[in-house]
């Protein structure tokens, strides 16, 4: 393709993206092995599509399932049909053509130009991605060529038009994080000013069920080893409390930031998700500054469930980092086998239950089980309520009742799996959990008839057996909710790891 036109637009004339054109000649692109291919399924280099671009791509035949969030997201790539790594689903590996070339997204149209934050996350830059070998292959140094300089200037003019700035504001993920192998060509001051979070309010939206895929994608992109993932990485673990706390979220500089508003103020129940394995200093400072503006420096301002691996850096930046109660992680096979003296008492309780209730069966939860499960939950609540020492304990039980009502109603769209235990035609136990990672299952709730000895051991072992059969090798049972008796019972199952997280506050 011919290089872009160097004709100046008339004053006030909108520069269209088509006018900028493709700088690298097509014959070079077709012989190259870089674009549209990715080493990992969750590569941050996957192109970002806005909602309009998704609609256009789907209109050209791309499957809607290639997009986790139809309001705007990075495309889901697929294994390379004839090689290593992954390819964009729009890429034809046989011909090296893009099947949606005429409607390809801005991200692809700009490439190998890249729009990225600088290393300190203060300025947005336009650069050339050195992964495109054309910079080396061309005869003369590109930055010295007048046509190239004009192409870059024209692209910058395009990017800093009001309509495009507004689009970036709606889709801040169009700006990638800093990449060392991108040669900086010029800064983009108007775009920097527009996206600088210190100068604008956050684009807060209420948390909806439809945000689950977006949350899960961001959680996956926060690269932590599976065995240290806390239960805060599970969407349901927040969504199910939304009648108690007012949850909302914002996408800030490529990270999904979840907030929960209590009567005392707003806080973050999870750290920013989606921007790699470590904390981003500028982003953390921005989030505290925003919460402080909302809360007036209240003690409620905090970030919870921050991974232990972030602690040293956050402390070095002056934050107060206080450890939370740990979560318990088990090897699923240990909980199914219950072998040796270490599990003697759990094995005895399980066997006692099986002998006493030979007709007991565990079955997958169905929505028609909800009324029976809720009745069992009410029995459990009544029993607990009689034991409750004070008013606040009774409030907690009411919160828990609402949690279970929503859980039973929304389990399927939340991606949770439930099981119920039938005894003599009645449901006497139920349990729910969800996938924290490919191999980690999180047990989210378990209710049993407390008058039946061994039933808790039975339902736990059988539900873990079901999770193991589906490939989940590790089981997270969350923390002990500050209850020493529950902590003792969780310890008695011999966790292989205590998942440590912290609460972060300003000094
Ligand atoms: S949309 Fe087209 S140009 Fe963009 S990555 Fe996919 S195949 Fe390549």
């Amino acid at each position: 393709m011919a290089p872009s036109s160097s004709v100046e637009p008339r004053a006030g004339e909108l520069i269209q993206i088509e006018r900028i054109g493709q700088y690298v000649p097509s014959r070079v692109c077709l012989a190259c092995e870089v674009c549209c291919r990715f080493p990992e399924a969750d590569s941050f280099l996957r192109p970002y599509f806005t909602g309009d671009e998704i609609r256009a791509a789907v209109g050209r035949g791309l499957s809607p399932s290639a997009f986790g969030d139809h309001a705007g997201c990075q495309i889901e790539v697929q294994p390379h049909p004839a090689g290593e790594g992954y390819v964009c689903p729009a890429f034809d590996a046989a011909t090296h053509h893009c099947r949606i070339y005429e409607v390809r997204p801005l991200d692809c149209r700009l490439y190998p130009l890249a729009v990225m934050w600088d290393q300190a996350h203060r300025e947005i830059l336009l650069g050339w991605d050195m992964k495109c070998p054309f910079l080396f292959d061309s005869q003369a140094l590109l930055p010295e060529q007048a046509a190239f300089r004009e192409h870059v200037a024209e692209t910058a003019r395009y990017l800093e038009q009001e309509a495009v700035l507004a689009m970036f504001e709606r889709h801040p993920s169009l700006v990638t994080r800093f990449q060392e192998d991108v040669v900086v060509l010029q800064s983009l001051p108007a775009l920097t000013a527009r996206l600088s979070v210190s100068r604008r309010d956050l684009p807060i939206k209420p948390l909806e069920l439809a945000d689950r895929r977006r949350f899960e994608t961001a959680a996956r992109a926060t690269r932590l080893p599976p065995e240290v993932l806390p239960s805060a990485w599970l969407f349901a673990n927040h969504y199910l409390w939304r009648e108690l706390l007012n949850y909302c979220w914002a996408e800030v500089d490529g990270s999904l930031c979840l907030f929960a508003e209590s009567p005392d103020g707003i806080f973050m129940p999870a750290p920013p998700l989606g921007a790699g394995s470590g904390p981003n200093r500028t982003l953390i400072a921005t989030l505290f500054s925003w919460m402080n503006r909302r809360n007036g420096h209240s003690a409620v301002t905090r970030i919870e469930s921050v991974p232990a691996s972030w602690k040293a850096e956050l402390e070095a930046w002056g934050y107060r980092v206080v450890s939370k109660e740990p979560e318990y992680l088990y090897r699923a096979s240990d909980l199914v086998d219950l072998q040796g003296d270490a599990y003697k008492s759990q094995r005895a309780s399980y066997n006692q239950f099986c002998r006493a209730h030979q007709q007991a069966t565990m079955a997958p939860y169905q929505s028609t089980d909800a009324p029976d499960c809720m009745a069992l939950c009410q029995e459990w609540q009544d029993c607990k309520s009689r034991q409750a020492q004070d008013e606040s304990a009774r409030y907690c039980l009411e919160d828990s009742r609402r949690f279970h009502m929503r859980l039973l109603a929304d389990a399927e769209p939340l991606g949770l799996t439930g099981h119920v235990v039938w005894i003599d035609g009645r449901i006497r136990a139920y349990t729910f959990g969800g996938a924290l990672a490919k191999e980690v299952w999180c047990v989210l709730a378990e209710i049993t008839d407390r008058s039946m000895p061994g039933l808790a051991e039975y339902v736990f072992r059988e539900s873990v057996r079901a999770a193991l059969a589906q490939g989940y090798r590790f089981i997270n049972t969350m923390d002990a909710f500050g209850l020493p008796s529950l902590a003792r019972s969780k310890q008695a199952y011999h966790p292989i790891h205590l998942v440590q997280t912290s609460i972060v506050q300003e000094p």
Side-chain angles (χ1 to χ4, degrees):
M1 270 207 194
S4 61
S5 159
S6 62
V7 178
E8 282 287 326
R10 286 191 295 276
E13 184 187 342
L14 190 65
I15 304 170
Q16 301 293 340
I17 185 63
E18 291 76 12
R19 176 191 161 93
I20 292 171
Q22 176 182 320
Y23 194 81
V24 180
S26 290
R27 65 175 165 74
V28 177
C29 287
L30 291 173
C32 170
E33 295 277 332
V34 175
C35 281
C36 319
R37 282 147 278 201
F38 308 90
E40 301 128 7
D42 60 352
S43 166
F44 80 97
L45 295 167
R46 291 169 295 142
Y48 182 94
F49 285 64
T50 65
D52 288 342
E53 289 168 344
I54 291 171
R55 277 186 288 285
V58 170
R60 292 295 178 104
L62 212 55
S63 166
S65 66
F67 303 98
D69 181 351
H70 284 211
C73 63
Q74 284 180 289
I75 200 163
E76 307 267 347
V77 292
Q78 56 193 33
H80 195 302
E84 289 185 357
Y86 298 82
V87 292
C88 171
F91 180 66
D92 184 332
T95 64
H96 289 198
H97 277 87
C98 170
R99 293 195 189 94
I100 58 162
Y101 187 78
E102 288 75 21
V103 296
R104 69 197 186 287
L106 175 66
D107 218 353
C108 299
R109 287 177 188 272
L110 293 176
Y111 195 81
L113 291 178
V115 180
M116 68 170 188
W117 285 99
D118 69 355
Q119 200 156 15
H121 216 273
R122 292 210 186 88
E123 196 178 15
I124 298 176
L125 307 166
L126 183 61
W128 179 282
D129 186 354
M130 299 278 279
K131 286 185 276 305
C132 170
F134 185 64
L135 198 72
F136 306 112
D137 292 351
S138 48
Q139 294 300 310
L141 267 177
L142 277 183
E144 290 173 12
Q145 293 180 7
F148 178 76
R149 287 204 302 273
E150 176 50 28
H151 176 73
V152 173
E154 175 100 338
T155 304
R157 283 196 291 274
Y158 165 79
L159 291 170
E160 300 221 302
Q161 300 174 110
E162 175 52 38
V164 182
L165 293 175
M167 181 181 70
F168 271 81
E169 198 168 21
R170 288 195 301 278
H171 300 279
S173 294
L174 281 167
V175 184
T176 67
R177 64 177 190 240
F178 176 73
Q179 301 167 64
E180 272 178 354
D181 55 356
V182 169
V183 177
V184 175
L185 299 168
Q186 71 170 80
S187 63
L188 296 168
L191 189 53
T192 303
R194 190 62 78 95
L195 293 197
S196 170
V197 284
S198 59
R199 279 175 244 171
R200 65 179 164 86
D201 207 0
L202 300 187
I204 292 288
K205 298 172 195 161
L207 187 72
E208 305 287 355
L209 206 45
D211 296 321
R212 181 185 140 211
R213 288 286 296 273
R214 186 191 284 268
F215 181 96
E216 289 174 350
T217 303
R220 269 202 309 276
T222 313
R223 294 157 186 262
L224 289 181
E227 66 276 12
V228 303
L229 289 178
S231 57
W233 261 234
L234 193 66
F235 178 79
N237 208 9
H238 304 289
Y239 184 83
L240 290 171
W241 294 106
R242 68 198 289 261
E243 283 174 34
L244 177 66
L245 296 166
N246 187 15
Y247 280 91
C248 53
W249 65 277
E251 189 172 283
V252 188
D253 301 344
S255 291
L256 189 147
C257 302
L258 183 66
F259 300 96
E261 191 158 23
S262 70
D264 298 331
I266 202 159
F267 66 96
M268 295 186 69
L273 299 174
S277 56
N280 174 327
R281 186 173 187 172
T282 312
L283 178 58
I284 299 279
T286 301
L287 294 168
F288 270 110
S289 140
W290 184 80
M291 285 190 282
N292 284 334
R293 282 211 306 274
R294 292 276 299 253
N295 294 336
H297 292 272
S298 148
V300 76
T301 305
R302 64 188 187 274
I303 305 178
E304 292 198 347
S305 299
V306 172
S309 56
W310 292 20
K311 188 170 190 272
E313 257 176 300
L314 288 162
E315 282 179 338
W317 298 338
Y319 291 101
R320 242 172 346 115
V321 184
V322 180
S323 292
K324 272 182 81 176
E325 195 183 355
E327 297 185 355
Y328 296 79
L329 188 83
Y330 305 89
R331 194 175 292 112
S333 56
D334 292 347
L335 305 181
V336 172
D337 297 345
L338 294 184
Q339 278 184 357
D341 281 351
Y343 293 101
K344 200 170 155 190
S345 96
Q346 292 94 339
R347 204 167 55 240
S349 297
Y350 175 91
N351 290 337
Q352 181 192 4
F353 173 80
C354 289
R355 277 195 301 275
H357 301 283
Q358 291 176 15
Q359 75 288 23
T361 53
M362 197 166 92
Y365 170 80
Q366 298 175 9
S367 56
T368 48
D369 298 331
D372 288 349
C373 289
M374 206 55 229
L376 177 65
C377 181
Q378 192 59 56
E379 277 178 41
W380 181 86
Q381 297 259 331
D382 292 344
C383 174
K384 287 272 180 192
S385 183
R386 284 193 291 276
Q387 297 164 356
Q389 304 285 329
D390 53 28
E391 197 68 4
S392 72
R394 274 186 279 280
Y395 277 131
C396 287
L397 284 171
E398 173 55 21
D399 295 341
S400 156
R401 192 182 69 79
R402 291 190 199 178
F403 171 95
H404 281 266
M405 275 180 74
R406 189 155 283 282
L407 168 66
L408 295 167
D410 287 337
E412 194 190 335
L414 283 169
L416 301 175
T417 298
H419 285 96
V420 296
V421 177
W422 289 93
I423 302 170
D424 298 333
R426 297 171 71 204
I427 290 177
R428 301 319 300 152
Y430 67 83
T431 179
F432 282 88
L436 257 186
K438 201 161 157 246
E439 295 192 313
V440 188
W441 187 255
C442 179
V443 179
L444 201 54
E446 191 179 289
I447 294 284
T448 60
D449 179 341
R450 291 162 60 86
S451 69
M452 293 187 163
L455 175 55
E457 287 79 0
Y458 174 84
V459 73
F460 186 47
R461 187 182 193 183
E462 293 309 313
S463 61
V464 171
R465 199 193 301 278
L468 182 61
Q470 294 204 355
Y472 296 100
R473 296 196 303 126
F474 302 103
I475 306 293
N476 177 316
T477 62
M478 306 207 291
D479 64 18
F481 303 101
L483 302 170
S485 59
L486 188 53
R488 278 195 298 279
S489 133
K490 289 187 184 233
Q491 277 292 358
Y493 270 98
H494 305 289
I496 54 164
H497 186 68
L498 294 179
V499 180
Q500 302 285 354
T501 62
S502 301
I503 298 173
V504 177
Q505 289 182 300
E506 285 189 310

